[in-house]
């Protein structure tokens, strides 16, 4: 392999492509690329072709780590392009200079006259107002990416926000369009329940893009419903309406509405073409309309998966109904919920594929060569496939091959439709579902344990396009549905992530918002308690990887928003208690219960997300907050048995049920140390974190054990505990990178021991292909192969060796302080009989 050349592989997927616009984030080794204009793109014949480059992230030494590359690829079957580092500026490489506020070689397209329309339940249109300014997100000569924001208003009320992103390509008449309809209001969520029918939801009849057909000449054109169907003549009036998924379980209870009905009419789609009507199951249509010298066309990928959808052609316009009027009930967009629709608009004759717009059904997905990715070290411990990986890979490949793939699991509950597509069916929640009746339990996984990142890791290692597709689909779903996209609620919720459907209950009208009001928890049949987005389920790294690989600004915004959420939820100035205390809330670092402020899931996810926020923004406030939380929850002199252990029948155990998640924090601590080491920040914070990791790892080496070896202390001794043991492997790997001598050998041996235990034990379990164990292994376990190949690698010691660390600072959450002060105030006021003040205080602190 050329050490300065990144191979990029393509497969045409049966559709020959000529000069198709492609985009891919490409990593580079530390110190190898200092100037973007030194990049060169070569086609399979070795010819230099135009390239557009934008830097995404730098290494600690200032060289480029990730670069977003745009070019055009011609692929008849398979092809390999190369992004090379040259020795002098390349005149065919275009890049954005931060000092410039204008575009490089601005692209110009004649956009047809269009309107976005939204109608209420009564059929009356909302007024649409668009911000006057266009934000240029991708300034370039090959691709120009713009963003514009608008609002739907009615009766003096702003009902919804529209975020439109358009990508224009040089010498190509096809525009990639992303339209996001957002209810930016807060949900009312009474009692911490977030069900459909919330008073702050938007109910509307339709949301559509209308493209005017100019002229009076007769209309002609063609349409194709899917890749296996040849183009047919189009006759006006034309309608292609996808009502449901068309799958075997198309009328699943997954599609319950606020009225508790399933408002679906028939399985699949119908086409009304002139006076004829046909039906089918699953449409991924292209429609091309000609009038005189004007050609308009629409390509709609993932059309059926995101039902309902409609494409219409009349004498005067081409209409894409993103939320169509043909449905039985109005559409509901919950507070803080949004939906992004992607389609391709042709404003002239498309020549990329032999059949116009056919390529838009499955655009080229440039594949990074795994050996190149390993060489760059841009993703720590990621290695290309090698020998000895078969037991591990067989476990994770269950997601894409065999009888229990994630795609097949979607069919069980019909995890399709605009609100559901992209999510993973949490079938592990249904395994104990004895009262199911004819319907399976509906459970949404909502990015638990970050399968977006897991899919990205597996794609980067194995190159199978199925991994890339699942990464992309889930990223869109999480950004739109699982994230709470509002600034109007309390700081502990805004821009947070809803966690998976509450354990052992059906999602019902709670959809993807964790807590269904009709949920009953077995075996006691208690009601679901309610709540909201929480720090313990804050998984942002997959969105960072999605941004690095695709350059999608919405993924960057979501990831940074989640990092900002960590700071805001911990900010005492942003709560109702601020007049009693402005201390940190502790919400960002609590796990399981507010009073546990030790290493755990909440603190671990907060640290990891803050690191991601810093990587994307270079805002040191994120790193400083991460270091504050680290000092708050862990110390090199911690009494670990007291913090994470338990005593039962006179014996000491790890408190697996309530404290297993300390491992999640140690994993985040290892990532923090890697990050600091790469940047050369070997300061006191680094020393504190390093000593803490080694302290806990020494305790683990003596006290930890495979969870299922002691099933009597577990409530549900399932396959998940085996998969969770892989976290111990990763913690010991991090520890070995910082240890020396015999201790280093001990930690490396323990890492190998736990990896082999998981890959030997899990295959024999009949439930090994359930959602949760597979997702866990997607993200954990692959790093072992890098460590086997690089046994001598170590991380540096701190610049100033420290043997004695300052004591762990005493931390008391704001609410505890506020309650004490409120009681004092109430007692004082009581002396004067001011009952109203006491009532107010009690109301505020309950």
């Amino acid at each position: 392999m050329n050490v300065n050349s990144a191979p990029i592989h393509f497969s045409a997927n049966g559709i020959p492509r000529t000069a198709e616009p492609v985009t891919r984030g490409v990593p580079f080794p530390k110190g190898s690329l200092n100037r973007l204009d030194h990049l060169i793109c070569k086609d399979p014949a070795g010819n230099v072709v135009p390239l557009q480059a934008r830097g995404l992230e730098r290494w600690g030494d200032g060289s480029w780590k990730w670069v977003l590359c745009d070019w055009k690829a011609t692929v008849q079957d398979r092809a390999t392009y190369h992004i090379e580092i040259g020795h002098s500026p390349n005149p065919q490489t275009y890049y954005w200079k931060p000092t410039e506020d204008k575009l490089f070689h601005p692209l110009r397209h004649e956009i047809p006259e269009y309107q976005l329309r939204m109608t209420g339940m009564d059929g009356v249109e909302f007024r649409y107002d668009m911000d006057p300014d266009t934000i240029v997100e991708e300034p370039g000569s090959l691709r120009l990416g713009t963003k514009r924001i608008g609002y739907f208003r009615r009766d003096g009320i702003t009902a919804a926000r529209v975020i439109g992103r358009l990508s224009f390509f040089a010498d190509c008449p096809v525009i990639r369009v992303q339209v996001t309809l957002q209810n930016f209001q807060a949900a009312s969520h009474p009692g911490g329940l977030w069900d459909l029918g919330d008073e702050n939801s938007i109910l509307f009849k339709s949301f559509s893009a209308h493209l005017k057909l100019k002229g009076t000449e007769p209309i002609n054109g063609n349409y194709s419903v899917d890749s296996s169907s040849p183009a047919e003549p189009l006759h006006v009036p034309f309608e292609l309406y996808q009502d449901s998924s068309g799958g075997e379980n198309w009328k699943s209870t997954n599609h319950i509405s606020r009225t508790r009905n399933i408002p679906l009419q028939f399985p699949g789609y119908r086409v009304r073409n002139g006076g004829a009507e046909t039906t089918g199951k699953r449409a991924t249509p292209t429609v091309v309309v000609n009038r005189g010298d004007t050609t308009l066309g629409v390509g709609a990928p993932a059309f059926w998966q995101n039902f309902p959808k409609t494409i219409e052609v009349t004498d005067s316009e081409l209409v894409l109904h993103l939320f169509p009027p043909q449905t039985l009930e109005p559409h509901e967009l919950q507070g803080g919920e949004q939906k992004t629709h992607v389609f391709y608009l042709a404003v002239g004759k498309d020549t990329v594929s032999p059949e116009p717009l056919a390529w838009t059904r499955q655009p080229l997905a440039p594949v990074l060569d795994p050996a190149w990715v390993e060489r760059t070290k841009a993703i720590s411990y990621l290695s290309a496939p090698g020998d000895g990986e078969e037991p591990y890979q067989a476990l994770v490949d269950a997601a894409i091959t065999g009888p229990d793939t994630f795609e097949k699991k979607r069919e069980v509950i019909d995890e399709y439709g605009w609100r559901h597509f992209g999510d993973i069916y949490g079938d592990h929640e249904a395994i104990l579902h004895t009262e199911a009746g004819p319907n399976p339990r509906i459970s949404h996984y909502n990015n638990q344990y970050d399968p977006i990142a897991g899919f990205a890791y597996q794609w980067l290692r194995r190159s199978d396009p199925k991994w890339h597709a699942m990464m992309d689909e889930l990223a869109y779903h999480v950004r739109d549905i699982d994230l709470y996209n509002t600034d109007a609620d309390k700081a502990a919720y805004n821009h947070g992530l809803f966690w998976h459907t509450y354990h052992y209950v059906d999602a019902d009208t709670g959809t993807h918002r964790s807590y269904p009001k009709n949920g009953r928890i077995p075996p006691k049949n208690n009601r679901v308690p309610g709540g909201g987005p929480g720090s313990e389920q804050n998984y942002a790294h997959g969105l960072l990887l999605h941004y690095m690989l695709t350059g999608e600004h919405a993924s960057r915004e979501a990831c940074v928003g989640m990092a900002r959420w960590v700071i805001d939820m911990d900010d005492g100035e942003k709560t109702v208690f601020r007049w009693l205390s402005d201390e940190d809330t502790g919400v960002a670092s609590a796990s399981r219960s507010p009073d546990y402020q030790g290493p755990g899931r909440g603190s671990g996810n907060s640290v990891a997300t803050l690191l991601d926020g810093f990587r994307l923004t270079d805002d040191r406030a994120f790193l400083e907050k991460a270091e504050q939380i680290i000092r708050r929850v862990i110390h090199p002199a911690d009494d670990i048995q007291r913090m994470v252990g338990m005593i039962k029948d006179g014996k000491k155990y790890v408190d697996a049920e309530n404290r297993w998640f300390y491992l999640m924090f140690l994993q985040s601590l290892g990532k923090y140390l890697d990050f600091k080491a790469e940047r050369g920040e070997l300061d006191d914070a680094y020393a504190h974190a390093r000593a803490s990791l080694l302290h806990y790892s020494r305790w683990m080496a003596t006290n930890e054990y495979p969870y299922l070896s002691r099933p009597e202390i577990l409530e549900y001794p399932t396959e998940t505990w085996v998969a969770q043991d892989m976290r111990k492997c990763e913690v010991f790997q991090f520890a070995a990178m910082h240890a020396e001598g015999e201790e280093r050998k001990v930690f490396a041996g323990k890492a190998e021991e736990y990896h082999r235990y998981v890959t030997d034990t899990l295959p024999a379990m009949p439930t090994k292909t359930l959602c949760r164990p597979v997702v866990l292994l997607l993200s954990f376990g692959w790093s072992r192969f890098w460590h086997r190949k690089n046994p001598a690698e170590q991380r540096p010691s701190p610049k100033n060796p420290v043997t004695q660390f300052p004591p762990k600072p005493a931390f008391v959450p704001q609410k505890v302080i506020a309650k004490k002060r409120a009681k004092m105030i109430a007692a004082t006021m009581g002396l004067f009989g001011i009952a109203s003040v006491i009532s107010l205080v009690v109301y505020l602190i309950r």
Side-chain angles (χ1 to χ4, degrees):
M1 177 185 291
N2 184 333
V3 296
N4 289 317
S5 180
I8 314 292
H9 307 298
F10 290 95
S11 172
N13 299 309
I15 304 173
R17 326 288 178 114
T18 301
E20 179 178 332
V22 295
T23 302
R24 175 60 70 220
V26 181
F28 292 91
K30 187 175 183 178
S32 66
L33 178 64
N34 294 302
R35 292 180 52 171
L36 294 178
D37 62 349
H38 280 200
L39 285 177
I40 298 170
C41 182
K42 289 184 178 180
D43 68 13
N47 301 311
V48 176
V49 298
L51 174 71
Q52 177 174 311
R54 176 169 67 87
L56 300 177
E57 185 185 18
R58 294 181 186 269
W59 288 99
D61 66 355
S63 62
W64 286 110
K65 184 177 186 179
W66 284 93
V67 178
L68 189 68
C69 297
D70 280 274
W71 71 101
K72 290 187 176 182
T74 295
V75 184
Q76 298 302 306
D77 181 21
R78 295 183 181 276
T80 297
Y81 282 69
H82 287 82
I83 309 296
E84 294 188 358
I85 302 172
H87 300 291
S88 60
N90 174 27
Q92 293 198 73
T93 298
Y94 309 106
Y95 64 101
W96 178 64
K97 298 176 182 176
T99 57
E100 295 187 359
D101 58 5
K102 296 183 179 180
L103 306 183
F104 255 159
H105 308 286
L107 307 177
R108 300 192 181 277
H109 286 264
E110 184 177 345
I111 302 177
E113 184 179 338
Y114 73 96
Q115 286 184 325
L116 293 178
R117 298 178 187 171
M118 181 175 173
T119 58
M121 294 175 63
D122 54 5
V124 177
E125 284 193 20
F126 291 77
R127 187 180 84 250
Y128 184 59
D129 300 319
M130 187 177 290
D131 283 356
D133 296 328
T134 297
I135 301 167
V136 177
E137 293 184 319
E138 298 291 345
S141 61
L142 297 182
R143 178 167 68 99
L144 172 64
T146 65
K147 174 184 176 181
R148 204 163 181 186
I149 298 174
Y151 298 89
F152 282 112
R153 296 185 170 100
R154 185 169 169 183
D155 301 327
I157 297 174
T158 301
R161 177 188 288 130
V162 177
I163 304 168
R165 285 185 159 100
L166 278 66
S167 288
F168 303 91
F169 308 104
D171 303 318
C172 180
V174 180
I175 305 167
R176 185 175 188 265
V177 182
Q178 290 177 285
V179 178
T180 302
L181 183 67
Q182 180 189 79
N183 180 356
F184 58 90
Q185 305 296 337
S188 64
H189 52 85
L193 300 171
W194 302 74
D195 293 68
L196 295 172
D198 186 279
E199 65 180 3
N200 286 339
S201 291
I202 301 171
L203 297 173
F204 57 101
K205 186 174 180 62
S206 68
F207 170 57
S208 312
H210 295 249
L211 301 157
K212 187 174 181 179
L213 296 171
K214 295 181 180 180
T216 58
E217 298 94 336
I219 291 175
N220 64 76
N222 57 68
Y223 74 96
S224 171
V225 292
D226 57 42
S227 59
S228 63
S229 302
E232 299 184 34
L234 180 148
H235 304 287
V236 176
F238 174 85
E239 174 202 273
L240 194 165
Y241 167 54
Q242 184 86 41
D243 182 71
S244 67
S245 75
E248 182 178 346
N249 298 312
W250 66 277
K251 212 165 186 177
S252 165
T253 55
N254 194 21
H255 305 303
I256 193 171
S257 72
R258 78 190 196 288
T259 64
R260 303 199 60 75
N261 293 313
I262 302 173
L264 302 178
Q265 303 169 71
F266 55 87
Y269 66 83
R270 72 172 179 233
V271 176
R272 290 173 174 169
N273 189 26
E277 180 171 319
T278 57
T279 60
K281 297 299 184 182
R282 294 177 164 177
T284 309
T286 61
V287 174
V288 178
V289 181
N290 304 301
R291 168 172 270 174
D293 296 331
T294 301
T295 295
L296 287 180
V298 170
F303 186 83
W304 68 265
Q305 294 94 326
N306 287 285
F307 75 84
K309 291 279 187 296
T310 303
I311 298 178
E312 291 183 350
V313 181
T314 70
D315 283 329
S316 60
E317 58 185 7
L318 169 63
V319 184
L320 179 57
H321 291 290
L322 305 172
F323 286 99
Q326 290 94 336
T327 54
L328 287 177
E329 292 189 10
H331 309 283
E332 178 177 358
L333 203 60
Q334 298 173 279
E337 190 175 51
Q338 64 185 33
K339 179 60 184 179
T340 300
H341 309 266
V342 179
F343 60 95
Y344 290 80
L345 174 64
V347 293
K349 185 178 180 181
D350 171 39
T351 58
V352 171
S353 52
E355 179 187 321
L357 294 174
W359 62 277
T360 67
R361 290 190 174 104
Q362 193 175 1
L364 289 173
V367 176
L368 298 173
D369 190 280
W372 171 262
V373 177
E374 177 180 1
R375 181 179 173 274
T376 68
K377 298 185 179 181
I379 297 179
S380 298
Y381 315 119
L382 195 91
S383 62
D387 295 333
E389 300 182 13
E390 292 78 9
Y392 167 81
Q393 204 59 47
L395 290 168
V396 297
D397 281 351
I400 60 172
T401 61
D404 295 319
T405 67
F406 285 178
E407 188 173 16
K408 291 177 180 176
K409 290 179 182 184
R410 284 175 175 169
E411 301 289 344
V412 176
I413 63 169
D414 205 60
E415 194 76 308
Y416 298 111
W418 67 266
R419 181 176 276 124
H420 307 304
F421 180 59
D423 205 351
I424 301 170
Y425 172 36
D427 62 337
H428 58 282
E429 295 289 349
I431 201 72
L432 301 176
H433 187 32
T434 58
E435 71 282 3
N439 300 310
R441 174 181 285 156
I442 307 299
S443 184
H444 305 298
Y445 206 55
N446 280 35
N447 206 38
Q448 173 83 343
Y449 302 141
D450 205 353
I452 300 176
F455 294 148
Y457 296 140
Q458 296 302 325
W459 178 72
L460 286 164
R461 294 193 74 243
R462 311 292 295 191
S463 303
D464 193 306
K466 293 177 183 177
W467 295 122
H468 188 279
M470 288 191 293
M471 173 195 70
D472 205 50
E473 292 158 2
L474 184 55
Y476 272 76
H477 171 82
V478 169
R479 286 174 356 204
D480 285 346
I481 308 301
D482 296 345
L483 281 176
Y484 190 36
N485 295 289
T486 184
D487 294 309
D489 212 320
K490 59 183 181 180
Y493 289 168
N494 292 338
H495 301 284
L497 183 70
F498 289 98
W499 52 296
H500 58 78
T501 303
Y502 203 87
H503 282 306
Y504 314 124
V505 302
D506 192 274
D508 199 65
T509 56
T511 69
H512 296 263
R513 295 194 161 186
S514 307
Y515 308 92
K517 65 183 179 183
N518 292 316
R520 295 282 184 174
I521 309 169
K524 295 182 180 180
N525 207 31
N526 293 333
R527 282 192 176 276
V528 167
S535 63
E536 293 187 70
Q537 314 296 331
N538 191 7
Y539 300 99
H541 194 64
L543 290 169
L544 178 143
L545 291 174
H546 188 257
Y547 173 67
M548 294 300 176
L549 291 168
T550 68
E552 293 221 2
H553 290 266
S555 287
R556 180 187 184 278
E557 291 168 356
C559 186
V560 173
M562 295 165 80
R564 176 55 58 186
W565 175 45
V566 175
I567 292 178
D568 289 346
M569 76 171 80
D570 212 46
D571 187 351
E573 292 284 351
K574 296 184 176 182
T575 74
V576 295
F577 302 103
R578 59 187 176 274
W579 60 282
L580 290 168
S581 169
D582 62 358
E583 297 296 323
D584 289 348
T585 68
V587 175
S589 51
S591 298
R592 192 67 138 184
S593 61
D595 60 333
Y596 180 73
Q597 294 286 330
R601 177 161 55 184
S603 52
N605 283 343
S606 290
V607 167
T609 301
L610 289 164
L611 289 177
D612 290 337
F614 180 59
R615 286 181 60 181
L616 291 173
T617 64
D618 211 29
D619 183 347
R620 201 155 185 94
F622 291 125
L623 184 59
E624 291 171 354
K625 186 65 179 181
E627 293 178 337
Q628 181 198 36
I629 290 175
I630 290 170
R631 290 191 299 271
R632 179 188 298 175
V633 303
I634 198 168
H635 191 273
D638 277 343
D639 181 346
I640 303 174
Q641 180 66 36
R642 181 184 63 81
M643 297 183 70
V644 305
M646 62 178 288
I647 297 177
K648 184 177 182 180
D649 300 328
K651 297 181 180 179
K652 291 182 179 181
Y653 296 92
V654 176
D655 188 1
E657 287 287 353
N658 297 296
R659 294 291 181 262
W660 67 266
F661 45 56
Y662 83 97
L663 298 169
M664 292 181 67
F665 181 84
L666 295 182
Q667 287 177 286
S668 293
L669 197 64
K671 294 175 183 177
Y672 164 81
L673 288 167
D674 282 353
F675 182 75
K676 293 278 283 189
E678 189 280 311
R679 295 174 63 87
E681 296 186 15
L682 309 178
D683 51 19
D684 289 349
Y686 177 83
H688 174 274
R690 182 176 183 270
S692 297
L693 174 66
L694 292 172
H695 176 55
Y696 273 75
S697 298
R698 291 172 188 129
W699 181 89
M700 286 176 58
T702 302
N703 294 277
E704 271 290 4
Y705 50 84
Y707 291 125
L708 279 192
S709 66
R710 297 177 181 175
E712 68 277 6
I713 65 172
L714 301 172
E715 182 179 7
Y716 295 107
T718 69
E719 73 294 321
T720 295
W721 290 110
V722 180
Q724 293 283 23
D725 277 322
M726 193 62 87
R727 294 184 185 276
K728 298 167 189 171
C729 166
E730 301 230 332
V731 172
F732 281 123
Q733 287 175 169
F734 282 124
M737 295 290 282
H738 291 274
E740 297 178 354
E742 192 62 31
E743 188 171 62
R744 176 180 170 82
K745 293 179 182 178
V746 170
F747 292 153
K750 283 290 183 179
E752 186 69 18
E753 175 185 323
Y754 275 103
H755 193 278
R756 293 193 181 278
Y757 166 76
V758 175
T759 56
D760 288 347
T761 305
L762 201 53
M765 306 185 78
T767 52
K768 63 180 178 293
T769 61
L770 292 177
C771 166
R772 189 161 51 188
V774 174
V775 166
L776 281 164
L777 293 189
L778 288 174
S779 288
F780 312 127
W782 48 264
S783 59
R784 187 76 211 126
F785 310 122
W786 183 93
H787 284 274
R788 289 176 184 171
K789 291 165 66 175
N790 299 274
E793 287 274 346
Q794 278 189 290
R795 295 287 179 249
S797 299
K799 286 184 177 179
N800 299 312
V802 181
T803 56
Q804 294 293 324
F805 295 89
K808 182 188 290 187
F811 177 74
V812 182
Q814 179 200 39
K815 195 170 184 178
V816 174
I817 299 171
K819 281 186 176 183
K820 290 181 179 179
R821 291 178 179 174
K823 288 178 181 178
M824 293 174 60
I825 294 171
T828 302
M829 294 299 184
L831 296 175
F832 299 96
I834 308 179
S836 59
V837 174
I838 298 174
S839 298
L840 175 61
V841 170
V842 172
Y843 171 77
L844 287 174
I845 66 172
R846 64 183 177 177

